[in-house]
Amino acid sequence: MKEKYIHILGLALTVIYFAFIVFLYWAEPRSLAEISTKSKVVIGTYQIDQQKFDEGLRAFRADNFIAARDSFDRADPERRDAKTQFYVAYTYYRQGWGRVYNDGELFSKGIEAVDRTIALNRDFKSDDSDLKLQTPAELRHELEEGTKTTGEDFNPLKLIRERK
Amino acid sequence: MNENKDLTIDDPDDLDIRGPLAGDVIRGASNRVAVSVSSAKANYFLYLLIPAIFLTVTLLGGLRLAGADSGFIFLPPPLICLVFSILLFILFFRGGLLSVSGWFSEELPTLTNVANASILLTVLAACAQIFNSLLPEGGVPFWIVSFCFFWTLWNDLFLDFDAKRFLRSTGGLLGLAFVVKYLFLQYFTAPSSQNWLTAIFENPGKEAFTWLLDLPRYSPATGYIQFFTLLLFFGGLFLLPRSTKK
């Protein structure tokens, strides 16, 4: 091979290898499997695991929120899908909701998840008719209200309110 | 007897015998062919193998394995590592390990100069990652080892030495830093697979040192990876020519 072509090949391989190293230090994968997932995110071919998502949805509808969240997390390990993150936030809302008082810690995690949804797709609207809160803004408002302590919390009529 | 009689070259004039690292005796067509073949080998070696070695050092220098689950942890180099790498790089030129005019010259084609620059950039990146590998991650040990590195490199800037002495001195410096971090400090680091109560009862001294010196709990495999990285770095330096010209 001519010297010129060896130089070009060397330069090209150096740039590719260096880009791969920069990618690894940027993406910080924890395992070899994660390298593949994060590569898909970078090249734009990342998709959620539909089977795990369906499993999560079934568990969500059966009020098994811990199992639902586990399935949603495995369906979307990179937290890149607005719909899945919306359901994750909803699991925190439904699990943390109480007729007398709400679980503040779960509601705070719900706010984090709903913020991720907003960051991914500000115009997201759920097509699930079982959910009374259809948009991230409505869900966030409900979660925020649930973490506040106000005089309204002592209203006995709160006992007859329903979970959304 | 001509040793290169099996080589068939369509157009011997097309072969480049003026390239970097080409042989020096050119008498007759057969020797011309031999020189060109060795020149091509030297080019493969210089422009493919050496960058690959230094980029592998760059890749592995910041890699640690977590103590709990052996998961990858990629640590980008702190700013001080870049400062140290620049100082070491200057010392490579001052110590005679590299020659500026041997790597960059108006006589060389632009592509060769660019390719040479890319090799030296991989060396610079590898230097930064070697310091990243050898500096403790935080706490008092980080500042002590950083100071020692800085003191040594700064003093070296004003000394006169040859390439051999410089390589020995650098080897000693980096080798000592490896022993401090991956043997000495590692010995004082408590294992991560215990709960805090068990850890305090079973390893009170190690727990205290880990807490006081802010030592990270890495898997023992990290030391092996960094040892290999250090060897690879020295191997790369050994193979790096002073000049790419004849």
Side-chain angles (χ1 to χ4, degrees), chain A residues 77-105:
Chain A
E78 290 300 311
R79 298 175 168 182
R80 293 269 165 179
D81 183 57
K83 188 177 179 181
T84 312
Q85 292 309 309
F86 186 72
Y87 274 107
V88 170
Y90 225 112
T91 61
Y92 281 119
Y93 165 70
R94 285 198 171 170
Q95 190 186 352
W97 185 88
R99 204 168 287 281
V100 180
Y101 68 93
N102 299 314
D103 186 322
E105 194 180 334

PDB file of all heavy atoms in Angstrom, chain A residues 77-105:
ATOM      1  N   PRO A  77     -34.719   1.015  29.821  1.00  0.00           N
ATOM      2  CA  PRO A  77     -33.590   1.200  30.755  1.00  0.00           C
ATOM      3  C   PRO A  77     -32.917   2.566  30.628  1.00  0.00           C
ATOM      4  O   PRO A  77     -32.335   3.064  31.586  1.00  0.00           O
ATOM      5  CB  PRO A  77     -32.623   0.076  30.388  1.00  0.00           C
ATOM      6  CG  PRO A  77     -32.993  -0.352  29.019  1.00  0.00           C
ATOM      7  CD  PRO A  77     -34.457  -0.087  28.870  1.00  0.00           C
ATOM      8  N   GLU A  78     -32.988   3.167  29.461  1.00  0.00           N
ATOM      9  CA  GLU A  78     -32.337   4.465  29.256  1.00  0.00           C
ATOM     10  C   GLU A  78     -33.254   5.643  29.577  1.00  0.00           C
ATOM     11  O   GLU A  78     -32.854   6.800  29.426  1.00  0.00           O
ATOM     12  CB  GLU A  78     -31.850   4.582  27.812  1.00  0.00           C
ATOM     13  CG  GLU A  78     -30.678   3.679  27.488  1.00  0.00           C
ATOM     14  CD  GLU A  78     -29.465   3.964  28.338  1.00  0.00           C
ATOM     15  OE1 GLU A  78     -29.087   5.131  28.451  1.00  0.00           O
ATOM     16  OE2 GLU A  78     -28.911   3.006  28.911  1.00  0.00           O
ATOM     17  N   ARG A  79     -34.503   5.350  29.956  1.00  0.00           N
ATOM     18  CA  ARG A  79     -35.489   6.393  30.301  1.00  0.00           C
ATOM     19  C   ARG A  79     -35.642   7.413  29.176  1.00  0.00           C
ATOM     20  O   ARG A  79     -35.490   8.613  29.378  1.00  0.00           O
ATOM     21  CB  ARG A  79     -35.080   7.090  31.600  1.00  0.00           C
ATOM     22  CG  ARG A  79     -35.053   6.124  32.773  1.00  0.00           C
ATOM     23  CD  ARG A  79     -34.544   6.794  34.005  1.00  0.00           C
ATOM     24  NE  ARG A  79     -34.772   5.975  35.178  1.00  0.00           N
ATOM     25  CZ  ARG A  79     -34.453   6.329  36.404  1.00  0.00           C
ATOM     26  NH1 ARG A  79     -33.901   7.489  36.627  1.00  0.00           N
ATOM     27  NH2 ARG A  79     -34.693   5.530  37.419  1.00  0.00           N
ATOM     28  N   ARG A  80     -35.873   6.886  27.981  1.00  0.00           N
ATOM     29  CA  ARG A  80     -35.950   7.741  26.802  1.00  0.00           C
ATOM     30  C   ARG A  80     -37.352   7.780  26.211  1.00  0.00           C
ATOM     31  O   ARG A  80     -37.572   8.457  25.202  1.00  0.00           O
ATOM     32  CB  ARG A  80     -34.992   7.208  25.721  1.00  0.00           C
ATOM     33  CG  ARG A  80     -33.547   7.318  26.091  1.00  0.00           C
ATOM     34  CD  ARG A  80     -32.990   8.615  25.606  1.00  0.00           C
ATOM     35  NE  ARG A  80     -31.729   8.908  26.229  1.00  0.00           N
ATOM     36  CZ  ARG A  80     -31.018   9.983  25.966  1.00  0.00           C
ATOM     37  NH1 ARG A  80     -31.453  10.857  25.095  1.00  0.00           N
ATOM     38  NH2 ARG A  80     -29.892  10.203  26.582  1.00  0.00           N
ATOM     39  N   ASP A  81     -38.286   7.026  26.767  1.00  0.00           N
ATOM     40  CA  ASP A  81     -39.619   6.954  26.185  1.00  0.00           C
ATOM     41  C   ASP A  81     -40.616   7.687  27.094  1.00  0.00           C
ATOM     42  O   ASP A  81     -40.813   7.303  28.257  1.00  0.00           O
ATOM     43  CB  ASP A  81     -40.016   5.481  26.019  1.00  0.00           C
ATOM     44  CG  ASP A  81     -41.357   5.342  25.340  1.00  0.00           C
ATOM     45  OD1 ASP A  81     -41.509   5.851  24.219  1.00  0.00           O
ATOM     46  OD2 ASP A  81     -42.277   4.765  25.949  1.00  0.00           O
ATOM     47  N   ALA A  82     -41.248   8.715  26.544  1.00  0.00           N
ATOM     48  CA  ALA A  82     -42.138   9.564  27.341  1.00  0.00           C
ATOM     49  C   ALA A  82     -43.327   8.762  27.899  1.00  0.00           C
ATOM     50  O   ALA A  82     -43.711   8.925  29.063  1.00  0.00           O
ATOM     51  CB  ALA A  82     -42.631  10.719  26.484  1.00  0.00           C
ATOM     52  N   LYS A  83     -43.893   7.878  27.075  1.00  0.00           N
ATOM     53  CA  LYS A  83     -45.072   7.112  27.497  1.00  0.00           C
ATOM     54  C   LYS A  83     -44.729   6.222  28.701  1.00  0.00           C
ATOM     55  O   LYS A  83     -45.468   6.189  29.688  1.00  0.00           O
ATOM     56  CB  LYS A  83     -45.548   6.248  26.320  1.00  0.00           C
ATOM     57  CG  LYS A  83     -46.871   5.544  26.573  1.00  0.00           C
ATOM     58  CD  LYS A  83     -47.276   4.770  25.325  1.00  0.00           C
ATOM     59  CE  LYS A  83     -48.568   4.030  25.537  1.00  0.00           C
ATOM     60  NZ  LYS A  83     -48.952   3.255  24.347  1.00  0.00           N
ATOM     61  N   THR A  84     -43.591   5.534  28.615  1.00  0.00           N
ATOM     62  CA  THR A  84     -43.186   4.637  29.715  1.00  0.00           C
ATOM     63  C   THR A  84     -42.914   5.451  30.976  1.00  0.00           C
ATOM     64  O   THR A  84     -43.330   5.055  32.077  1.00  0.00           O
ATOM     65  CB  THR A  84     -41.922   3.848  29.312  1.00  0.00           C
ATOM     66  OG1 THR A  84     -42.122   3.305  28.018  1.00  0.00           O
ATOM     67  CG2 THR A  84     -41.632   2.727  30.280  1.00  0.00           C
ATOM     68  N   GLN A  85     -42.239   6.579  30.830  1.00  0.00           N
ATOM     69  CA  GLN A  85     -41.924   7.404  31.999  1.00  0.00           C
ATOM     70  C   GLN A  85     -43.195   7.995  32.617  1.00  0.00           C
ATOM     71  O   GLN A  85     -43.271   8.174  33.837  1.00  0.00           O
ATOM     72  CB  GLN A  85     -40.937   8.518  31.617  1.00  0.00           C
ATOM     73  CG  GLN A  85     -39.555   8.011  31.246  1.00  0.00           C
ATOM     74  CD  GLN A  85     -38.970   7.062  32.276  1.00  0.00           C
ATOM     75  OE1 GLN A  85     -38.937   7.356  33.464  1.00  0.00           O
ATOM     76  NE2 GLN A  85     -38.549   5.882  31.823  1.00  0.00           N
ATOM     77  N   PHE A  86     -44.207   8.253  31.773  1.00  0.00           N
ATOM     78  CA  PHE A  86     -45.488   8.747  32.292  1.00  0.00           C
ATOM     79  C   PHE A  86     -46.148   7.665  33.161  1.00  0.00           C
ATOM     80  O   PHE A  86     -46.662   7.950  34.244  1.00  0.00           O
ATOM     81  CB  PHE A  86     -46.399   9.129  31.117  1.00  0.00           C
ATOM     82  CG  PHE A  86     -47.687   9.772  31.548  1.00  0.00           C
ATOM     83  CD1 PHE A  86     -47.704  11.065  32.053  1.00  0.00           C
ATOM     84  CD2 PHE A  86     -48.889   9.085  31.454  1.00  0.00           C
ATOM     85  CE1 PHE A  86     -48.891  11.662  32.455  1.00  0.00           C
ATOM     86  CE2 PHE A  86     -50.080   9.680  31.852  1.00  0.00           C
ATOM     87  CZ  PHE A  86     -50.082  10.968  32.348  1.00  0.00           C
ATOM     88  N   TYR A  87     -46.093   6.436  32.674  1.00  0.00           N
ATOM     89  CA  TYR A  87     -46.657   5.334  33.464  1.00  0.00           C
ATOM     90  C   TYR A  87     -45.880   5.117  34.761  1.00  0.00           C
ATOM     91  O   TYR A  87     -46.461   4.816  35.802  1.00  0.00           O
ATOM     92  CB  TYR A  87     -46.686   4.039  32.643  1.00  0.00           C
ATOM     93  CG  TYR A  87     -47.937   3.913  31.788  1.00  0.00           C
ATOM     94  CD1 TYR A  87     -47.875   4.072  30.416  1.00  0.00           C
ATOM     95  CD2 TYR A  87     -49.171   3.650  32.372  1.00  0.00           C
ATOM     96  CE1 TYR A  87     -49.009   3.977  29.628  1.00  0.00           C
ATOM     97  CE2 TYR A  87     -50.316   3.550  31.592  1.00  0.00           C
ATOM     98  CZ  TYR A  87     -50.234   3.708  30.214  1.00  0.00           C
ATOM     99  OH  TYR A  87     -51.365   3.622  29.462  1.00  0.00           O
ATOM    100  N   VAL A  88     -44.559   5.293  34.699  1.00  0.00           N
ATOM    101  CA  VAL A  88     -43.741   5.157  35.922  1.00  0.00           C
ATOM    102  C   VAL A  88     -44.202   6.200  36.945  1.00  0.00           C
ATOM    103  O   VAL A  88     -44.418   5.890  38.123  1.00  0.00           O
ATOM    104  CB  VAL A  88     -42.234   5.327  35.598  1.00  0.00           C
ATOM    105  CG1 VAL A  88     -41.407   5.443  36.878  1.00  0.00           C
ATOM    106  CG2 VAL A  88     -41.713   4.161  34.770  1.00  0.00           C
ATOM    107  N   ALA A  89     -44.391   7.433  36.468  1.00  0.00           N
ATOM    108  CA  ALA A  89     -44.841   8.503  37.366  1.00  0.00           C
ATOM    109  C   ALA A  89     -46.218   8.164  37.940  1.00  0.00           C
ATOM    110  O   ALA A  89     -46.494   8.385  39.130  1.00  0.00           O
ATOM    111  CB  ALA A  89     -44.883   9.824  36.606  1.00  0.00           C
ATOM    112  N   TYR A  90     -47.059   7.586  37.075  1.00  0.00           N
ATOM    113  CA  TYR A  90     -48.424   7.253  37.518  1.00  0.00           C
ATOM    114  C   TYR A  90     -48.410   6.146  38.570  1.00  0.00           C
ATOM    115  O   TYR A  90     -49.247   6.114  39.480  1.00  0.00           O
ATOM    116  CB  TYR A  90     -49.283   6.826  36.319  1.00  0.00           C
ATOM    117  CG  TYR A  90     -50.661   7.464  36.334  1.00  0.00           C
ATOM    118  CD1 TYR A  90     -51.044   8.403  35.388  1.00  0.00           C
ATOM    119  CD2 TYR A  90     -51.586   7.111  37.310  1.00  0.00           C
ATOM    120  CE1 TYR A  90     -52.285   8.994  35.410  1.00  0.00           C
ATOM    121  CE2 TYR A  90     -52.835   7.706  37.342  1.00  0.00           C
ATOM    122  CZ  TYR A  90     -53.179   8.643  36.398  1.00  0.00           C
ATOM    123  OH  TYR A  90     -54.415   9.233  36.436  1.00  0.00           O
ATOM    124  N   THR A  91     -47.438   5.204  38.440  1.00  0.00           N
ATOM    125  CA  THR A  91     -47.360   4.144  39.466  1.00  0.00           C
ATOM    126  C   THR A  91     -47.024   4.754  40.825  1.00  0.00           C
ATOM    127  O   THR A  91     -47.556   4.323  41.847  1.00  0.00           O
ATOM    128  CB  THR A  91     -46.279   3.085  39.132  1.00  0.00           C
ATOM    129  OG1 THR A  91     -45.013   3.716  39.066  1.00  0.00           O
ATOM    130  CG2 THR A  91     -46.574   2.329  37.856  1.00  0.00           C
ATOM    131  N   TYR A  92     -46.144   5.764  40.813  1.00  0.00           N
ATOM    132  CA  TYR A  92     -45.794   6.418  42.083  1.00  0.00           C
ATOM    133  C   TYR A  92     -47.023   7.128  42.650  1.00  0.00           C
ATOM    134  O   TYR A  92     -47.273   7.095  43.855  1.00  0.00           O
ATOM    135  CB  TYR A  92     -44.657   7.431  41.873  1.00  0.00           C
ATOM    136  CG  TYR A  92     -43.293   6.794  41.776  1.00  0.00           C
ATOM    137  CD1 TYR A  92     -42.513   6.934  40.626  1.00  0.00           C
ATOM    138  CD2 TYR A  92     -42.765   6.069  42.840  1.00  0.00           C
ATOM    139  CE1 TYR A  92     -41.250   6.358  40.538  1.00  0.00           C
ATOM    140  CE2 TYR A  92     -41.500   5.492  42.749  1.00  0.00           C
ATOM    141  CZ  TYR A  92     -40.753   5.639  41.607  1.00  0.00           C
ATOM    142  OH  TYR A  92     -39.508   5.063  41.525  1.00  0.00           O
ATOM    143  N   TYR A  93     -47.799   7.763  41.774  1.00  0.00           N
ATOM    144  CA  TYR A  93     -48.987   8.484  42.236  1.00  0.00           C
ATOM    145  C   TYR A  93     -49.990   7.511  42.865  1.00  0.00           C
ATOM    146  O   TYR A  93     -50.453   7.706  43.993  1.00  0.00           O
ATOM    147  CB  TYR A  93     -49.634   9.243  41.064  1.00  0.00           C
ATOM    148  CG  TYR A  93     -51.033   9.710  41.377  1.00  0.00           C
ATOM    149  CD1 TYR A  93     -51.247  10.739  42.294  1.00  0.00           C
ATOM    150  CD2 TYR A  93     -52.148   9.104  40.798  1.00  0.00           C
ATOM    151  CE1 TYR A  93     -52.533  11.153  42.612  1.00  0.00           C
ATOM    152  CE2 TYR A  93     -53.420   9.502  41.103  1.00  0.00           C
ATOM    153  CZ  TYR A  93     -53.620  10.523  42.026  1.00  0.00           C
ATOM    154  OH  TYR A  93     -54.894  10.911  42.359  1.00  0.00           O
ATOM    155  N   ARG A  94     -50.291   6.443  42.128  1.00  0.00           N
ATOM    156  CA  ARG A  94     -51.326   5.528  42.628  1.00  0.00           C
ATOM    157  C   ARG A  94     -50.871   4.766  43.871  1.00  0.00           C
ATOM    158  O   ARG A  94     -51.661   4.500  44.760  1.00  0.00           O
ATOM    159  CB  ARG A  94     -51.738   4.552  41.522  1.00  0.00           C
ATOM    160  CG  ARG A  94     -52.617   5.237  40.482  1.00  0.00           C
ATOM    161  CD  ARG A  94     -53.378   4.260  39.642  1.00  0.00           C
ATOM    162  NE  ARG A  94     -54.369   4.944  38.808  1.00  0.00           N
ATOM    163  CZ  ARG A  94     -55.036   4.355  37.844  1.00  0.00           C
ATOM    164  NH1 ARG A  94     -54.827   3.068  37.564  1.00  0.00           N
ATOM    165  NH2 ARG A  94     -55.930   5.028  37.143  1.00  0.00           N
ATOM    166  N   GLN A  95     -49.577   4.414  43.899  1.00  0.00           N
ATOM    167  CA  GLN A  95     -49.081   3.688  45.073  1.00  0.00           C
ATOM    168  C   GLN A  95     -49.022   4.612  46.295  1.00  0.00           C
ATOM    169  O   GLN A  95     -49.293   4.189  47.417  1.00  0.00           O
ATOM    170  CB  GLN A  95     -47.684   3.118  44.794  1.00  0.00           C
ATOM    171  CG  GLN A  95     -47.215   2.144  45.868  1.00  0.00           C
ATOM    172  CD  GLN A  95     -45.776   1.682  45.664  1.00  0.00           C
ATOM    173  OE1 GLN A  95     -45.159   1.957  44.653  1.00  0.00           O
ATOM    174  NE2 GLN A  95     -45.269   0.958  46.640  1.00  0.00           N
ATOM    175  N   GLY A  96     -48.668   5.858  46.063  1.00  0.00           N
ATOM    176  CA  GLY A  96     -48.493   6.784  47.186  1.00  0.00           C
ATOM    177  C   GLY A  96     -49.783   7.430  47.648  1.00  0.00           C
ATOM    178  O   GLY A  96     -49.829   8.025  48.738  1.00  0.00           O
ATOM    179  N   TRP A  97     -50.824   7.322  46.827  1.00  0.00           N
ATOM    180  CA  TRP A  97     -52.091   7.991  47.169  1.00  0.00           C
ATOM    181  C   TRP A  97     -52.753   7.314  48.378  1.00  0.00           C
ATOM    182  O   TRP A  97     -52.787   6.092  48.498  1.00  0.00           O
ATOM    183  CB  TRP A  97     -53.024   7.923  45.951  1.00  0.00           C
ATOM    184  CG  TRP A  97     -54.309   8.680  46.141  1.00  0.00           C
ATOM    185  CD1 TRP A  97     -54.523   9.983  45.871  1.00  0.00           C
ATOM    186  CD2 TRP A  97     -55.558   8.165  46.624  1.00  0.00           C
ATOM    187  NE1 TRP A  97     -55.819  10.340  46.150  1.00  0.00           N
ATOM    188  CE2 TRP A  97     -56.475   9.227  46.624  1.00  0.00           C
ATOM    189  CE3 TRP A  97     -55.987   6.919  47.078  1.00  0.00           C
ATOM    190  CZ2 TRP A  97     -57.804   9.085  47.039  1.00  0.00           C
ATOM    191  CZ3 TRP A  97     -57.305   6.773  47.492  1.00  0.00           C
ATOM    192  CH2 TRP A  97     -58.194   7.841  47.477  1.00  0.00           C
ATOM    193  N   GLY A  98     -53.268   8.101  49.278  1.00  0.00           N
ATOM    194  CA  GLY A  98     -53.992   7.563  50.433  1.00  0.00           C
ATOM    195  C   GLY A  98     -55.207   8.423  50.729  1.00  0.00           C
ATOM    196  O   GLY A  98     -55.173   9.639  50.495  1.00  0.00           O
ATOM    197  N   ARG A  99     -56.243   7.788  51.235  1.00  0.00           N
ATOM    198  CA  ARG A  99     -57.478   8.538  51.501  1.00  0.00           C
ATOM    199  C   ARG A  99     -57.247   9.547  52.646  1.00  0.00           C
ATOM    200  O   ARG A  99     -57.760  10.653  52.623  1.00  0.00           O
ATOM    201  CB  ARG A  99     -58.605   7.554  51.876  1.00  0.00           C
ATOM    202  CG  ARG A  99     -59.979   8.082  51.611  1.00  0.00           C
ATOM    203  CD  ARG A  99     -61.010   7.002  51.723  1.00  0.00           C
ATOM    204  NE  ARG A  99     -60.987   6.066  50.600  1.00  0.00           N
ATOM    205  CZ  ARG A  99     -61.519   6.320  49.404  1.00  0.00           C
ATOM    206  NH1 ARG A  99     -62.089   7.485  49.159  1.00  0.00           N
ATOM    207  NH2 ARG A  99     -61.478   5.425  48.456  1.00  0.00           N
ATOM    208  N   VAL A 100     -56.430   9.116  53.634  1.00  0.00           N
ATOM    209  CA  VAL A 100     -56.182  10.012  54.773  1.00  0.00           C
ATOM    210  C   VAL A 100     -54.933  10.867  54.529  1.00  0.00           C
ATOM    211  O   VAL A 100     -54.948  12.070  54.720  1.00  0.00           O
ATOM    212  CB  VAL A 100     -56.024   9.185  56.075  1.00  0.00           C
ATOM    213  CG1 VAL A 100     -55.772  10.106  57.273  1.00  0.00           C
ATOM    214  CG2 VAL A 100     -57.262   8.330  56.317  1.00  0.00           C
ATOM    215  N   TYR A 101     -53.847  10.225  54.083  1.00  0.00           N
ATOM    216  CA  TYR A 101     -52.623  10.983  53.780  1.00  0.00           C
ATOM    217  C   TYR A 101     -51.876  10.307  52.631  1.00  0.00           C
ATOM    218  O   TYR A 101     -52.067   9.114  52.361  1.00  0.00           O
ATOM    219  CB  TYR A 101     -51.720  11.094  55.025  1.00  0.00           C
ATOM    220  CG  TYR A 101     -51.132   9.784  55.456  1.00  0.00           C
ATOM    221  CD1 TYR A 101     -49.888   9.369  55.010  1.00  0.00           C
ATOM    222  CD2 TYR A 101     -51.833   8.946  56.344  1.00  0.00           C
ATOM    223  CE1 TYR A 101     -49.341   8.163  55.400  1.00  0.00           C
ATOM    224  CE2 TYR A 101     -51.302   7.732  56.746  1.00  0.00           C
ATOM    225  CZ  TYR A 101     -50.054   7.337  56.274  1.00  0.00           C
ATOM    226  OH  TYR A 101     -49.532   6.139  56.665  1.00  0.00           O
ATOM    227  N   ASN A 102     -51.040  11.085  51.963  1.00  0.00           N
ATOM    228  CA  ASN A 102     -50.244  10.561  50.835  1.00  0.00           C
ATOM    229  C   ASN A 102     -48.814  10.262  51.292  1.00  0.00           C
ATOM    230  O   ASN A 102     -48.341  10.871  52.255  1.00  0.00           O
ATOM    231  CB  ASN A 102     -50.190  11.583  49.704  1.00  0.00           C
ATOM    232  CG  ASN A 102     -51.565  11.901  49.169  1.00  0.00           C
ATOM    233  OD1 ASN A 102     -52.372  11.008  48.927  1.00  0.00           O
ATOM    234  ND2 ASN A 102     -51.858  13.190  49.010  1.00  0.00           N
ATOM    235  N   ASP A 103     -48.173   9.359  50.557  1.00  0.00           N
ATOM    236  CA  ASP A 103     -46.768   9.045  50.848  1.00  0.00           C
ATOM    237  C   ASP A 103     -45.880  10.066  50.129  1.00  0.00           C
ATOM    238  O   ASP A 103     -45.747  10.030  48.897  1.00  0.00           O
ATOM    239  CB  ASP A 103     -46.457   7.618  50.357  1.00  0.00           C
ATOM    240  CG  ASP A 103     -45.065   7.159  50.758  1.00  0.00           C
ATOM    241  OD1 ASP A 103     -44.131   7.996  50.728  1.00  0.00           O
ATOM    242  OD2 ASP A 103     -44.904   5.978  51.093  1.00  0.00           O
ATOM    243  N   GLY A 104     -45.321  10.980  50.900  1.00  0.00           N
ATOM    244  CA  GLY A 104     -44.538  12.080  50.320  1.00  0.00           C
ATOM    245  C   GLY A 104     -43.342  11.605  49.509  1.00  0.00           C
ATOM    246  O   GLY A 104     -43.026  12.181  48.463  1.00  0.00           O
ATOM    247  N   GLU A 105     -42.685  10.548  49.971  1.00  0.00           N
ATOM    248  CA  GLU A 105     -41.475  10.066  49.290  1.00  0.00           C
ATOM    249  C   GLU A 105     -41.815   9.529  47.898  1.00  0.00           C
ATOM    250  O   GLU A 105     -41.141   9.841  46.909  1.00  0.00           O
ATOM    251  CB  GLU A 105     -40.826   8.968  50.130  1.00  0.00           C
ATOM    252  CG  GLU A 105     -39.427   8.660  49.691  1.00  0.00           C
ATOM    253  CD  GLU A 105     -38.771   7.563  50.536  1.00  0.00           C
ATOM    254  OE1 GLU A 105     -39.178   7.389  51.715  1.00  0.00           O
ATOM    255  OE2 GLU A 105     -37.898   6.886  50.016  1.00  0.00           O
TER     256      GLU A 105
END
